[in-house]
Amino acid sequence: MASARGEFSSRLGFVLAAAGSAVGLGNIWNFPTQAASNGGAAFLLVYLVLAFTLAYPALMAELIIGRHAHANAVQALQRISPNAPVRMFGRTAGLIGLAVASLILSFYGIVAGWMIAFCISSFASVLGLESVSAWLVSFGFARNVIFMLLFMGLTIAIISRGVQDGIERWSARLMPMLILTLVLLVIYVLTLDGASEGLKVYLLPDFHRALSPDLILRAMGSSFFSLSLGVGTMLIYGSYIDDSQNLPLVGGMVTLVDISIAVLAGFLVLPAMYVALHNGVEIFGPGGELLSEDTLVFSVLPELFTTMGPTGVLVSILFFFLMTIAALTSSISMLEVPVAYCIEEHNVSRKTGVYAIGGAIAAFSTVILLNFDTLFGFVISLTTRYSEPLLGFVFCVYAGWILHRDKLLQELRKGNPGIEQGLFWKIWPWWVRVVCPTVILAIFAQSIWG
Ligand code: PFF
């Protein structure tokens, strides 16, 4: 990087990098399985509505604060604060966001490591190395640590190269590959017997279920996690966008890419589940509930792939490769949150910051693996269920109540001089002020008392 702060060289570079952050295990695994166990099309419908009416405005809050302050979340929230107590609050919220991003990466690295292991396992079976292949898919400390470290090493290597050289270049390479692989897999799966049953479940909504408060809350949480909101990731990416870019437009493009990939992944996973069912794999319990929601990808899909004969091995390699790519473009955005803070606040060089923080997170992942039963689920629910909605609320409050309306307008005008006449400016300022904080608080309240 030529200067202390990097910048994305083009609109496409930013959209690819931010969409790469948004698209991850959340979209390709979490969203389709949530849809499968929460009414299929009903979940899809509510998810789509909430993604555009709630998650998109919240994403805009982070992007605008980030570009306005040209800083990481800790400094940005302080810079826009009018007085000492608000500044102190902003600093604390930013630091919590940084810790949450690191904690998310600590479990994400473990799951992503499994993706790599499953991908290599399929390769090993092609080569006839059956015992190696079996070891790679069996749960064990050594396997888990090795592949977590491999994944973290890849993340560290990309991030240590800086914004343009690292994030943008890799996202630009990986995202198109990801979309292409997904489309090919969808086309393939849709030709198989049983797939049409899955399609029906995914596309024909039961409107009764769409009105269930539990489904609405789950879909809302899913859309926030999916767009990487509430940890400062998108705020950092916003700070890397140059002033000539039209923020509502680029934010909209990121949202569209993110939602499209989640919906596309649904077209793969739901039909694939029913293909597996058609082939005799048990997916649902006696009450119609999904048997292994969390581990579906590691049990049902490999079973499905093996029933496809030789083609199945290829499909398996492609699928787990795809999951690894998706996880990598998300993990680099998570690591950038604490790294950007260390570079800007403590004058640490990018390389030192990346190695120290990446190393510390990998060490914590090892601690999680050593205490898997107690820590793994705890860290996931602490970060995704409690911290993200609460911090998303804080970002919306800062954009809606603390950053002055004139400053918002000034920031938005930079990339779009006619913004005042548009629909975005007529709706978004009061929407982010009132609707978003209220609904995010409702998600948070639901996590505690629901
Ligand atoms: N949006 C990512 C996914 O869908 O997998 C998860 C994520 C990435 C959450 C980055 C938070 C974050 F900062």
Side-chain angles (χ1 to χ4, degrees):
M1 283 192 311
S3 61
R5 294 193 61 73
E7 256 185 17
F8 288 107
S9 63
S10 65
R11 175 185 296 170
L12 184 66
F14 167 75
V15 170
L16 286 171
S21 162
V23 177
L25 304 177
N27 304 60
I28 294 171
W29 170 234
N30 182 37
F31 165 76
T33 44
Q34 285 236 33
S37 53
N38 291 286
F43 188 87
L44 173 65
L45 190 71
V46 178
Y47 177 87
L48 284 175
V49 170
L50 294 177
F52 291 110
T53 57
L54 202 63
Y56 168 66
L59 169 68
M60 290 312 301
E62 286 201 36
L63 291 182
I64 291 174
I65 294 174
R67 194 175 70 175
H68 177 74
H70 273 290
N72 61 75
V74 180
Q75 289 180 343
L77 293 185
Q78 289 184 91
R79 260 178 219 176
I80 62 173
S81 298
N83 54 45
V86 180
R87 238 189 324 276
M88 189 64 196
F89 183 78
R91 181 179 170 76
T92 311
L95 286 171
I96 293 173
L98 190 148
V100 173
S102 308
L103 281 176
I104 292 178
L105 183 52
S106 71
F107 75 75
Y108 217 80
I110 295 172
V111 181
W114 295 339
M115 300 295 170
I116 302 178
F118 272 70
C119 183
I120 297 176
S121 162
S122 302
F123 263 119
S125 78
V126 171
L127 300 176
L129 303 169
E130 290 308 331
S131 59
V132 175
S133 172
W135 179 78
L136 286 167
V137 296
S138 59
F139 193 92
F141 181 74
R143 194 260 337 228
N144 291 346
V145 168
I146 290 168
F147 286 94
M148 177 274 291
L149 289 176
L150 180 61
F151 181 80
M152 290 300 293
L154 285 171
T155 305
I156 287 169
I158 296 172
I159 278 293
S160 66
R161 285 160 211 267
V163 174
Q164 277 183 27
D165 288 349
I167 302 172
E168 190 179 329
R169 174 130 50 96
W170 277 95
S171 296
R173 278 180 197 160
L174 297 179
M175 281 291 293
M177 266 164 75
L178 171 69
I179 295 170
L180 183 70
T181 313
L182 198 51
V183 169
L184 289 177
L185 274 174
V186 169
I187 293 170
Y188 179 77
V189 164
L190 289 181
T191 63
L192 300 173
D193 285 345
S196 59
E197 193 56 35
L199 265 189
K200 265 190 227 149
V201 172
Y202 192 44
L203 294 177
L204 300 177
D206 167 358
F207 288 101
H208 265 301
R209 292 200 70 171
L211 297 175
S212 135
D214 183 56
L215 183 148
I216 293 169
L217 284 165
R218 277 165 180 259
M220 206 148 37
S222 184
S223 66
F224 271 79
F225 179 69
S226 165
L227 268 173
S228 310
L229 300 176
V231 290
T233 289
M234 288 303 181
L235 195 148
I236 288 277
Y237 274 22
S239 77
Y240 295 146
I241 311 175
D242 78 76
D243 283 348
S244 66
Q245 300 295 334
N246 180 352
L247 283 182
L249 182 70
V250 291
M253 285 158 82
V254 170
T255 308
L256 265 183
V257 172
D258 182 56
I259 304 310
S260 306
I261 294 192
V263 173
L264 193 59
F267 279 104
L268 168 66
V269 175
L270 272 91
M273 280 170 52
Y274 284 82
V275 170
L277 196 66
H278 182 264
N279 291 341
V281 179
E282 224 178 312
I283 295 177
F284 298 107
E289 75 287 356
L290 264 187
L291 278 181
S292 54
E293 196 174 321
D294 289 342
T295 53
L296 196 68
V297 81
F298 301 105
S299 55
V300 172
L301 287 178
E303 282 219 49
L304 162 77
F305 298 146
T306 51
T307 59
M308 292 176 189
T311 330
V313 183
L314 196 68
V315 176
S316 174
I317 292 170
L318 273 174
F319 183 80
F320 289 110
F321 177 65
L322 167 79
M323 297 295 277
T324 307
I325 291 173
L328 200 55
T329 52
S330 296
S331 66
I332 57 180
S333 76
M334 288 175 216
L335 186 55
E336 183 65 11
V337 175
V339 164
Y341 169 76
C342 279
I343 294 173
E344 286 161 26
E345 188 111 330
H346 298 293
N347 270 331
V348 176
S349 79
R350 176 165 276 273
K351 279 216 155 40
T352 312
V354 171
Y355 289 128
I357 296 165
I361 294 173
F364 189 68
S365 299
T366 312
V367 173
I368 294 180
L369 285 171
L370 283 168
N371 303 278
F372 192 83
D373 291 342
T374 40
L375 280 184
F376 188 69
F378 172 74
V379 174
I380 292 176
S381 68
L382 178 74
T383 51
T384 60
R385 276 172 67 189
Y386 298 96
S387 314
E388 280 199 78
L390 191 59
L391 286 162
F393 166 84
V394 172
F395 289 129
C396 285
V397 168
Y398 268 78
W401 296 86
I402 291 171
L403 194 56
H404 201 275
R405 218 180 131 85
D406 293 345
K407 293 238 172 77
L408 288 175
L409 184 58
Q410 202 185 333
E411 194 54 54
L412 288 163
R413 264 209 200 115
K414 285 180 187 164
N416 179 359
I419 188 95
E420 256 173 302
Q421 280 76 49
L423 199 61
F424 183 84
W425 183 250
K426 291 195 174 72
I427 297 172
W428 183 79
W430 62 267
W431 196 269
V432 81
R433 214 171 140 95
V434 182
V435 179
C436 292
T438 312
V439 179
I440 295 168
L441 265 197
I443 296 172
F444 188 61
Q446 160 78 7
S447 313
I448 295 178
W449 296 294

